[in-house]
């Protein structure tokens, strides 16, 4: 009977499957020999094994800080050899990272050490969850002296210290000096009227003024909007809610400026519009210092030499000052509340170590990102790239600093922003309706 | 089985040619893209590379730690496919031999294909945590098996149903028992169906990303998709290296696909269903 | 011969049912339970009755995503699946190179959606897109546009990038066709039926169970569709390409877990209705 033959070949394929499984079992036994099984349970201190802590971070892979963060972790582990070991849980992409932290918070399974974006609305959720370790008892004098108290205050909640601010998010208006020159613009626009004039001149010269798009979270467009809103309504405008008329006026101006953006602006993701800027098809982009490494990687010295650092233009009768820069606290670092005192102690020690002036400075030098919560001084001989120097100089000269929109509103508004913006640019929404959409999202 | 009229061949090949063009475009694009520099990929996406960057593959393999991740992916996928097929064939057989209530169970279970997996991060995390599987490959194997079970059951049952009644009945006449019929008669007969279901289950495991990241925290137990995603974040991306990683990760599934397809053809050519 | 094996039937169903209970019944219960709560996933839940369900009525984005899901489902059933059947029939005839084509057609299913999405973004791009280049080269320059960024073209463009990748269903159909007894075709051949007639009168009726499975799967994919809209358009412009799963995702990200789970319950309910409809349409004596 044919069926019998089938049975034999069935057995053969089962055998094959079993062999493959066995081989892969053995293989992975070899590769991950020393750390099989779960590592997050128990303190293990009693047994004399080192405390193993998990540090979840998205500063891995292609991120400009991946190397230096890994080095800091290695240094910490070397210093506490045999007592504590920090292991990196690498999560690429900050959006995915934040998703995972949200799920971890909801399921009461936060990693030992993690970070979250500072935002007056969203940080409250973490603070009031009762799941964060109070770092106050661990903050000895030497640690306290390293930190800026006024920045530190945003991590305080109910007489506890729940998070340590890390970086200062400074997002200037990068511009291409040679494209400006070619269009006959000698100074960076001082007012928004100048800006439109400059944009027109650039357009005549065959380049787009702004590299921006409404894809993803509409990052650069959101930052440009923040500049416009603040220059009209003043540096405190975002603390007063969305009712300020500045929001509507700014929307109208942003709509006008979109006429000088590439044709794929609706729906373009950061990678798409950034490439317009890096290919010198667009003359301006609002973004942070993490872009500096990209200037070098994608365009080399030649491109990097053309980069200028622009600051906020002024609005007519606006409350914001010309020369202001967007600057706000970016990521903050926190630890999970621990039952085991040893684990809590080492988690705190790691955060102290991470924010140590030496390490913070190292991150700055490697990535250009400013870890301003920590006091470190910059010496003349330090290898700082010229663009970072320019940003620091502009920051010192800035008469004011502005907040950035996404950092000041709830997640619901952040999600609504790109959708509402595409409607505004396509003419589906008036500026009033655009702001109404944001308000509606805010009230849900 | 030849076409009875040669005229019919022209439209037939036109159809195939059309689908071929649509399909080969992404394949070529990714393979060619994997040899470009990342900047070139963004600035002139449809050109040939100025210089062939073999280094992308080195970077994909080394930085992406593809070796370990690959082993994990194979392990997780194969075990999940095996368990899933095992449970599904048993259930499908039981449904075909059972009464009304077994059919009702089948209908309810297959409705599970509609579950919006993305909404279940919290419950699935809690389940893995409850069984103390977090940060192990078993968390992924169990979760993927569960995710794929409704579809596997649906496919397998479709084939079980297509087995002619006479075969099962004659087996019964010959004195074959319930379990013997399952292992020795049914399974060989539905092998094409099992191969098809296996391909889809394998695909699910191989391409899944969200839970691979959510349920683990150690690179040592993660899968290929996590490695591929390491090349991209919003502000920093090396798409060329990512494409190289994709090419490397796709080749094994093509091989598995080809192997399993052979099973399908064997079932076909030996005329298993004729008994 | 039924009913003699109650114990065997029960034993064989137990593993699948156990998995189902843990991974489906419990999560669905969880979704239903939280759908009547106001819950941000951190602070304790607060019972709000049917408020979340009432909110569905006024949620324009939800309505838009339902319409899109319907349109997508229609495209799947009336275009995607028929194309897959035709190609499966052709390749099952073992034309020259059929093995090669079968593998090639299946490969897009193996490639990460992220890479495919990038490719189509470049094809539809309004600045340097391949489609615009193509139109210009054939003298249709006036048709050039930012395909994924305009109100009326975004959704058709989104469907267009998926509809021709028929490999998934093609494989299902081919494996079903392979179980058809070749003798049926031989006798038809003797009766003088042409290839086309053979397909219509023999293959198609016998494919009915496969078609019902395919329709069910296509509708499932439609309902759960997430990655392509998320990566290509993120639901934009102005929610023109919004789909249910993406809407749910956005609400979860906005810490509105209660409402997100209400949407998920709706998704399951719609799915259940679809299963029933498909079963009615393809009713067979033994199911």
């Amino acid at each position: 009977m044919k069926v019998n033959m089938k049975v034999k070949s069935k057995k053969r394929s089962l055998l094959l499957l079993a062999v493959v499984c066995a081989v892969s079992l053995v293989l992975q036994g070899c590769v991950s020999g020393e750390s099989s099984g779960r590592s997050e349970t128990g303190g293990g201190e009693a047994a004399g094994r080192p405390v193993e802590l998990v540090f979840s971070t998205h500063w891995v892979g292609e991120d400009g800080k991946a190397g230096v963060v890994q080095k800091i972790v290695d240094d910490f582990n070397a210093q506490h050899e045999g007592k504590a070991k920090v292991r990196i849980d690498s999560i690429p992409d900050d959006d995915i990272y934040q998703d995972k932290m949200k799920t971890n918070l909801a399921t009461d399974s936060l990693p030992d050490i993690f970070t979250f974006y500072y935002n007056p609305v969203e940080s409250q959720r973490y603070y009031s969850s009762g799941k964060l370790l109070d770092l106050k008892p661990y903050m000895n004098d030497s640690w306290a002296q390293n930190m800026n108290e006024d920045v530190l205050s945003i991590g305080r909640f109910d007489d506890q210290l729940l998070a340590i601010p890390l970086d200062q998010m400074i997002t200037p208006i990068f511009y291409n000096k040679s494209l400006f020159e070619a269009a006959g613009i000698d100074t960076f626009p001082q007012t928004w009227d100048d800006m439109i004039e400059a944009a027109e001149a650039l357009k005549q010269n065959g380049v787009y003024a702004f590299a921006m798009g409404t894809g993803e979270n509409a990052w650069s467009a959101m930052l440009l909007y923040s500049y416009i809103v603040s220059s009209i309504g003043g540096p405190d405008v975002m603390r007063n809610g969305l009712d300020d008329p500045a929001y509507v006026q700014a929307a109208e101006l942003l709509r006008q400026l979109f006429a000088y953006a590439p044709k794929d602006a609706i729906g373009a993701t950061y990678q798409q519009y950034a490439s317009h800027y890096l290919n010198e098809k667009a003359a301006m982009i609002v973004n942070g210092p993490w872009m500096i490494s990209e200037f070098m990687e994608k365009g080399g010295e030649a491109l990097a030499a053309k980069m200028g650092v622009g600051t906020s233009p002024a609005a007519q009768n606006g409350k914001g000052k010309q020369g202001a820069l967007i600057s706000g606290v970016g990521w903050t670092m926190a630890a999970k509340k621990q039952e085991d005192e040893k684990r809590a102690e080492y988690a705190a020690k790691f955060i102290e170590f991470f924010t140590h002036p030496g390490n913070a400075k190292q991150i700055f030098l490697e990535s250009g990102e400013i870890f301003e919560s920590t006091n470190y001084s910059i010496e003349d001989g330090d290898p700082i790239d010229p663009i970072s120097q320019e940003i620091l100089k502009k920051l010192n000269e800035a008469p004011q600093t502005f907040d950035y929109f996404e950092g000041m509103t709830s997640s619901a508004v952040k999600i609504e922003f790109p959708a509402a913006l595409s409607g505004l640019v396509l003419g589906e929404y008036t500026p009033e309706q655009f702001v109404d959409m944001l308000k509606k999202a805010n009230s849900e | 089985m030849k076409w009875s009229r040669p005229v019919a061949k022209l439209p037939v090949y036109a159809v195939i040619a059309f689908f071929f063009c649509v399909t080969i475009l992404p394949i070529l694009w990714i393979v060619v893209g994997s040899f470009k520099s990342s900047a070139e990929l963004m600035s002139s996406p449809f050109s040939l590379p100025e210089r062939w960057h073999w280094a992308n593959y080195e970077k994909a393999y080394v930085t992406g730690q593809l070796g370990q991740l690959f082993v994990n992916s194979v392990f997780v996928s194969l075990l999940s496919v095996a368990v899933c097929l095992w449970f599904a064939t048993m259930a499908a057989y039981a449904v075909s031999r059972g009464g009304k209530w077994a059919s009702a169970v089948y209908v309810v279970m297959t409705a599970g294909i509609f579950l919006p997996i993305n909404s279940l991060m919290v419950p699935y995390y809690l389940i893995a945590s409850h069984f103390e599987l977090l940060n192990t490959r078993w968390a992924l194997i169990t979760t993927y098996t569960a995710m794929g079970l409704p579809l596997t059951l649906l496919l397998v049952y479709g084939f079980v149903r297509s087995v002619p009644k006479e075969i099962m009945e004659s087996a019964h006449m010959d004195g074959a028992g319930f379990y013997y019929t399952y292992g020795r008669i049914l399974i060989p007969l539905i092998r094409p169906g099992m191969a098809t279901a296996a391909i889809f289950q394998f695909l699910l495991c191989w391409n899944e990303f969200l839970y691979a990241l959510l349920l683990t925290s150690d690179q040592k137990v993660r899968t290929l998709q996590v490695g591929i995603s390491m090349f991209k974040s919003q502000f920093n991306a090396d798409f060329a290296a990512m494409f190289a990683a994709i090419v490397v990760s796709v080749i094994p599934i093509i091989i598995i696909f080809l192997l399993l397809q052979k099973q399908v053809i064997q079932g076909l050519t030996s005329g298993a269903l004729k008994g | 011969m039924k009913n003699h094996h109650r114990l065997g039937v029960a034993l064989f169903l137990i593993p699948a049912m156990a998995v189902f209970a843990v991974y489906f019944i419990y999560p669905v219960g969880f979704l239903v339970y939280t759908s009547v709560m106001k819950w941000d996933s951190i602070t304790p839940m607060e019972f709000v009755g049917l408020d979340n369900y009432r909110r569905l009525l006024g949620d324009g984005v939800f309505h838009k995503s339902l319409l899109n899901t319907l349109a997508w489902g229609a495209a799947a059933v009336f275009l995607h699946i028929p194309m897959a059947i035709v190609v499966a029939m052709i390749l099952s005839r073992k034309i020259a190179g059929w093995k090669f084509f079968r593998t090639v057609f299946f490969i897009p299913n193996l490639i990460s959606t992220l890479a495919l999405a990038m490719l189509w973004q470049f094809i539809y791009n309004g600045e340097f897109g391949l489609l615009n280049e193509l139109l210009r080269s054939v003298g249709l320059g006036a048709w050039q546009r930012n395909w994924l960024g305009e109100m009326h073209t975004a959704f058709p463009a989104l469907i267009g990038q998926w509809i021709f990748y028929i490999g998934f269903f093609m494989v299902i159909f081919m494996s079903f066709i392979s179980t058809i007894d070749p003798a049926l075709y031989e006798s038809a051949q003797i009766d003088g039926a042409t290839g086309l007639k053979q397909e219509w009168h023999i293959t198609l009726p016998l494919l009915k169970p496969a078609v019902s499975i395919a329709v069910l799967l296509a509708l499932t994919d439609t309902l759960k569709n997430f990655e392509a809209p998320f990566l290509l358009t993120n639901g934009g412009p102005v929610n023109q390409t919004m789909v249910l799963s993406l809407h749910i995702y956005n609400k979860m990200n906005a810490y509105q877990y209660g409402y997100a789970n209400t949407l998920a319950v709706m998704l399951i309910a719609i799915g259940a209705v679809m299963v029933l409809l498909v079963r009615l349409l393809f009713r067979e004596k033994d199911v």
Side-chain angles (χ1 to χ4, degrees):
Chain A
M1 217 176 129
K2 262 177 191 155
V3 169
N4 281 334
M5 275 167 55
K6 298 268 95 178
V7 172
K8 262 185 204 155
S9 75
K10 171 75 191 164
K11 268 187 186 151
R12 262 206 312 273
S13 47
L14 269 181
L15 194 69
L16 186 75
L17 189 74
V19 168
V20 175
C21 284
V23 167
S24 53
L25 265 173
V26 169
L27 269 177
Q28 83 200 8
C30 299
V31 187
S32 60
E34 92 276 15
S35 82
S36 53
R38 281 160 299 111
S39 38
E40 277 148 309
T41 47
E45 185 66 11
R49 280 185 292 134
V51 172
E52 190 175 294
L53 299 168
V54 175
F55 167 36
S56 288
T57 178
H58 65 286
W59 292 327
V60 293
E62 290 299 308
D63 192 279
K65 293 180 291 304
V68 59
V69 167
Q70 179 69 54
K71 185 174 175 297
I72 292 172
V73 170
D74 291 343
D75 288 350
F76 179 83
N77 289 343
Q79 215 175 78
H80 298 273
E81 179 94 56
K83 287 189 216 124
K85 185 168 187 290
V86 169
R87 178 166 63 74
I88 287 183
D89 163 21
S90 13
I91 300 163
D93 200 283
D94 59 339
D95 265 346
I96 298 171
Y97 179 76
Q98 293 181 69
D99 282 358
K100 181 166 176 177
M101 289 309 115
K102 280 177 191 176
T103 309
N104 282 340
L105 188 60
T107 51
D108 201 3
S109 54
L110 286 167
D112 300 300
I113 303 147
F114 60 100
T115 53
F116 52 89
Y117 235 42
Y118 174 72
N119 172 312
V121 188
E122 302 299 344
S123 291
Q124 286 300 317
R125 297 185 200 272
Y126 281 92
Y127 295 163
S128 56
S129 71
K131 291 168 186 168
L132 302 194
L133 177 69
D134 180 11
L135 295 165
K136 207 170 152 196
Y138 302 97
M139 183 156 269
N140 49 39
D141 286 346
S142 67
W143 188 5
Q145 272 165 20
N146 292 335
M147 308 296 292
N148 275 328
E149 177 48 41
D150 48 334
V151 187
L152 211 53
S153 65
I154 63 144
R156 294 193 191 280
F157 178 82
D158 275 359
D159 200 34
Q160 304 172 80
L161 179 61
L162 297 178
I164 305 292
L166 298 178
D167 59 317
Q168 198 70 9
M169 270 251 326
I170 296 165
T171 55
I173 307 174
F174 289 117
Y175 67 101
N176 187 316
K177 286 188 272 194
S178 69
L179 289 179
F180 266 53
E181 240 167 71
I185 311 159
D186 10 283
T187 49
F188 191 81
Q190 307 280 303
T191 68
W192 290 109
D193 291 336
D194 292 351
M195 182 62 98
I196 289 178
E197 235 168 75
E200 192 61 44
L202 288 161
K203 191 182 175 184
Q204 298 300 324
N205 225 27
V207 293
Y208 299 109
F210 293 98
M212 56 185 176
T214 68
E216 293 157 347
N217 51 2
W219 177 252
S220 287
M222 179 277 297
L223 291 173
L224 184 61
Y225 185 60
S226 311
Y227 269 116
I228 307 174
V229 170
S230 304
S231 64
I232 295 171
D236 295 324
V237 64
M238 289 185 202
R239 291 164 210 277
N240 308 331
L242 288 160
D243 287 321
D244 197 296
Y247 285 98
V248 176
Q249 292 165 31
E252 173 57 32
L253 183 52
L254 183 62
R255 196 180 58 76
Q256 286 176 34
L257 293 179
F258 254 96
Y260 304 100
K263 277 181 276 192
D264 60 359
I266 302 289
T269 60
Y270 171 80
Q271 293 293 341
Q272 289 174 324
Y273 57 79
S275 91
H276 289 312
Y277 184 74
L278 297 169
N279 292 326
E280 305 189 60
K281 285 184 183 147
M284 282 179 269
I285 188 168
V286 195
N287 201 3
W290 52 85
M291 204 181 178
I292 296 171
S293 61
E294 260 193 284
F295 298 147
M296 291 299 295
E297 267 167 43
K298 308 259 162 86
E301 291 282 356
L303 183 70
K306 292 178 190 168
M307 294 301 114
V309 176
T311 53
S312 182
Q316 220 173 5
N317 306 321
K319 294 179 193 144
K321 293 201 171 106
Q322 189 274 327
L325 270 177
I326 289 179
S327 164
V329 174
W331 292 90
T332 59
M333 190 179 258
K336 147 175 107 167
K337 196 176 259 178
Q338 303 272 7
E339 277 170 23
D340 184 320
E341 177 50 33
K342 268 272 176 293
R343 295 177 69 80
E345 189 191 323
Y346 279 106
K349 268 193 179 140
F350 178 78
I351 298 179
E352 177 181 357
F353 186 74
F354 196 91
T355 54
H356 189 272
N359 286 326
K361 185 172 172 180
Q362 212 176 359
I363 294 174
F364 168 68
L365 293 178
E366 294 260 327
S367 67
E369 290 184 49
I370 297 163
F371 275 50
E372 214 199 32
S373 51
T374 306
N375 300 312
Y376 53 85
S377 54
I378 289 165
E379 324 280 325
D380 281 343
D382 287 333
I384 307 173
D385 70 278
I387 305 172
S388 297
Q389 270 175 357
E390 183 73 10
I391 294 174
L392 279 184
K393 183 170 154 262
K394 289 277 154 68
L395 185 66
N396 287 333
E397 292 167 5
Q400 293 171 331
T401 56
F402 293 161
D403 295 313
Y404 69 110
F405 186 66
E406 189 181 299
M408 299 298 287
T409 53
S410 66
S411 302
V413 178
K414 171 187 163 182
I415 291 163
E416 179 62 33
F417 184 79
L421 180 62
S422 60
L424 176 74
V425 179
L426 286 170
E428 298 287 319
Y429 299 147
T430 62
E432 288 81 11
Q433 283 170 319
F434 165 79
V435 176
D436 284 344
M437 297 301 290
L438 300 179
K439 280 186 197 164
K440 187 170 158 252
N442 198 31
S443 65
E444 268 170 6
Chain B
M1 277 198 284
K2 288 274 180 247
W3 291 90
S4 48
R5 285 184 205 170
V7 202
K9 276 189 175 168
L10 196 65
V12 159
Y13 275 99
V15 169
I16 297 300
F18 170 76
F19 282 99
F20 182 73
C21 291
V22 177
T23 314
I24 204 73
L25 177 72
I27 302 171
L28 275 181
W29 186 69
I30 288 168
V31 172
V32 171
S34 69
F35 289 105
K36 290 182 175 180
S37 75
S38 198
E40 197 185 350
L41 189 62
M42 292 304 290
S43 59
S44 49
F46 296 106
S47 65
L48 280 175
E50 276 170 31
R51 215 161 47 77
W52 292 75
H53 292 254
W54 289 92
N56 290 334
Y57 279 85
E58 200 190 321
K59 180 176 176 189
Y61 200 80
V62 176
T63 316
Q65 293 176 301
L66 291 192
Q68 167 74 56
L69 298 175
F70 181 84
V71 171
N72 291 340
S73 269
V74 170
F75 179 72
V76 165
S77 304
L78 282 186
L79 269 179
S80 171
V81 167
V83 175
C84 201
L85 272 181
W86 184 32
F87 286 9
T89 49
M90 284 199 330
Y93 175 59
V95 170
S96 76
R97 297 291 295 266
K100 277 233 150 49
W101 68 273
S103 296
V105 167
Y106 167 76
V107 171
V108 173
M109 279 205 264
T110 49
I113 54 175
F114 280 109
L115 226 54
I117 297 299
N118 289 349
S119 308
L120 301 177
M121 289 194 277
V122 172
Y124 277 11
Y125 192 96
L126 291 174
I127 292 169
S129 152
H130 178 81
F131 291 110
E132 302 205 348
L133 296 173
L134 283 180
N135 202 24
T136 66
R137 294 167 201 91
W138 294 103
L140 303 182
I141 293 166
T142 50
T143 307
Y144 294 168
T145 302
M147 280 181 191
L149 192 60
L151 173 61
T152 311
L153 181 58
L154 190 81
L155 285 172
V156 169
Y157 183 66
F159 282 88
V160 169
R161 222 174 40 172
S162 71
V163 171
K165 282 252 168 349
E166 305 83 60
I167 296 183
M168 302 304 258
E169 266 157 27
S170 71
H172 188 63
M173 295 296 190
D174 293 347
F178 182 84
Y179 307 101
Y180 184 88
T181 311
Y182 166 75
R184 294 296 155 94
I185 296 170
L186 182 75
I187 295 289
L189 284 178
I190 58 167
R191 271 175 54 212
M194 287 173 67
T196 311
I199 290 169
F200 293 130
Q201 178 62 17
F202 190 89
L203 217 60
L204 178 142
C205 302
W206 197 262
N207 287 336
E208 209 285 331
F209 169 69
L210 184 65
Y211 285 93
L213 200 61
L214 183 69
L215 301 177
T216 62
S217 64
D218 192 334
Q219 213 65 4
K220 288 185 184 109
V221 299
R222 283 180 170 163
T223 56
L224 266 181
Q225 295 304 321
V226 179
I228 292 173
S229 70
M230 284 293 166
F231 295 106
K232 192 214 170 269
S233 63
Q234 186 179 2
F235 294 118
N236 306 87
D238 185 344
F239 287 114
M242 192 180 86
F243 282 15
I246 289 171
V247 172
V248 170
S249 73
V250 164
I251 289 168
I253 2 180
I254 294 178
I255 292 169
I256 292 213
F257 177 73
L258 288 173
L259 283 178
L260 286 173
Q261 279 295 298
K262 227 174 146 190
Q263 299 274 309
V264 178
I265 306 152
Q266 272 177 7
L268 169 73
T269 49
S270 64
L273 285 189
K274 279 197 283 184
Chain C
M1 63 182 249
K2 284 182 181 172
N3 297 334
H4 290 297
H5 307 287
R6 289 215 172 143
L7 181 67
V9 168
L11 272 179
F12 269 40
L13 275 175
I14 282 175
M17 281 170 73
V19 170
F20 189 78
V22 174
Y23 283 89
F24 293 90
I25 309 251
Y26 156 65
V28 170
F30 172 85
L31 290 180
V32 172
Y33 177 74
T34 50
S35 74
V36 291
M37 302 282 172
K38 187 175 161 64
W39 185 41
D40 65 1
S41 87
I42 298 156
T43 46
M45 300 181 196
E46 180 192 328
F47 181 73
V48 291
L50 293 178
D51 275 9
N52 286 332
Y53 288 89
R54 247 171 256 135
R55 188 174 155 192
L56 291 171
L57 299 175
D59 183 354
V61 182
F62 170 61
H63 303 156
K64 183 71 203 171
S65 55
L66 273 189
L67 281 178
N68 284 343
T69 303
L70 276 180
W72 199 306
V77 172
F78 297 110
L79 294 172
H80 193 71
I81 291 179
M83 286 193 293
I85 294 178
V86 169
V87 174
M89 282 173 169
I90 293 173
L91 293 188
S92 293
R93 288 271 171 171
K94 314 233 162 109
I95 59 161
W98 68 282
K99 279 186 189 170
F100 171 74
F101 288 123
R102 186 188 52 195
T103 308
V104 169
F105 290 169
F106 194 69
I107 290 179
N109 293 291
L110 313 178
I111 300 172
S112 86
T113 326
L114 180 64
L116 278 183
M118 272 182 70
L119 166 68
W120 284 93
Q121 276 175 336
F122 284 131
I123 290 176
Y124 288 133
N125 189 289
E127 191 68 34
F128 51 78
L130 196 62
L131 185 56
N132 282 349
E133 294 286 327
L134 211 78
L135 288 171
R136 196 168 50 211
S137 66
V138 297
L140 289 172
W143 290 18
Q144 294 185 80
R145 60 192 66 238
N146 184 21
W147 295 91
L148 288 170
E150 288 183 19
M151 298 295 281
H152 301 294
T153 57
F155 191 65
L158 189 60
I159 288 195
Q161 60 83 31
W162 147 86
I163 202 148
F164 297 117
Y165 296 129
I166 45 142
F168 188 88
F169 291 117
M170 181 199 72
V171 165
I172 294 188
F173 289 128
M174 283 185 77
S175 62
F176 268 85
I177 292 176
S178 77
T179 64
I180 296 175
D181 190 343
L184 288 173
Y185 294 101
E186 281 154 25
S187 61
Q189 191 86 13
I190 292 161
D191 293 344
T194 62
L196 214 58
K197 274 199 179 136
Q198 289 174 16
E199 298 299 338
W200 185 259
H201 291 292
I202 301 170
T203 319
L204 208 54
L206 286 171
L207 269 186
K208 205 173 154 188
V211 174
S212 92
I213 288 179
V215 168
L216 210 57
L217 289 182
L219 294 176
T220 317
D221 281 354
T222 306
L223 262 188
K224 299 204 286 190
N225 207 339
F226 173 77
E227 281 189 310
F230 176 64
L231 292 168
L232 274 157
T233 58
N234 199 10
V238 208
N239 300 319
Q240 281 296 302
T241 56
M242 186 57 79
V243 291
L244 260 179
S245 300
L246 185 51
H247 192 37
I248 293 174
Y249 174 82
N250 283 343
K251 290 301 165 196
M252 281 166 70
N253 265 345
Y255 291 99
Q256 296 167 16
Y257 276 70
Y259 186 57
N261 290 350
T262 307
L263 290 165
V265 169
M266 290 312 292
L267 197 156
I268 296 169
I270 296 166
V273 171
M274 280 183 175
V275 175
L276 287 178
L277 280 179
V278 172
R279 269 177 208 290
L280 275 178
L281 272 171
F282 292 87
R283 188 164 39 194
E284 300 217 1
K285 43 198 181 306
D286 55 345
V287 178

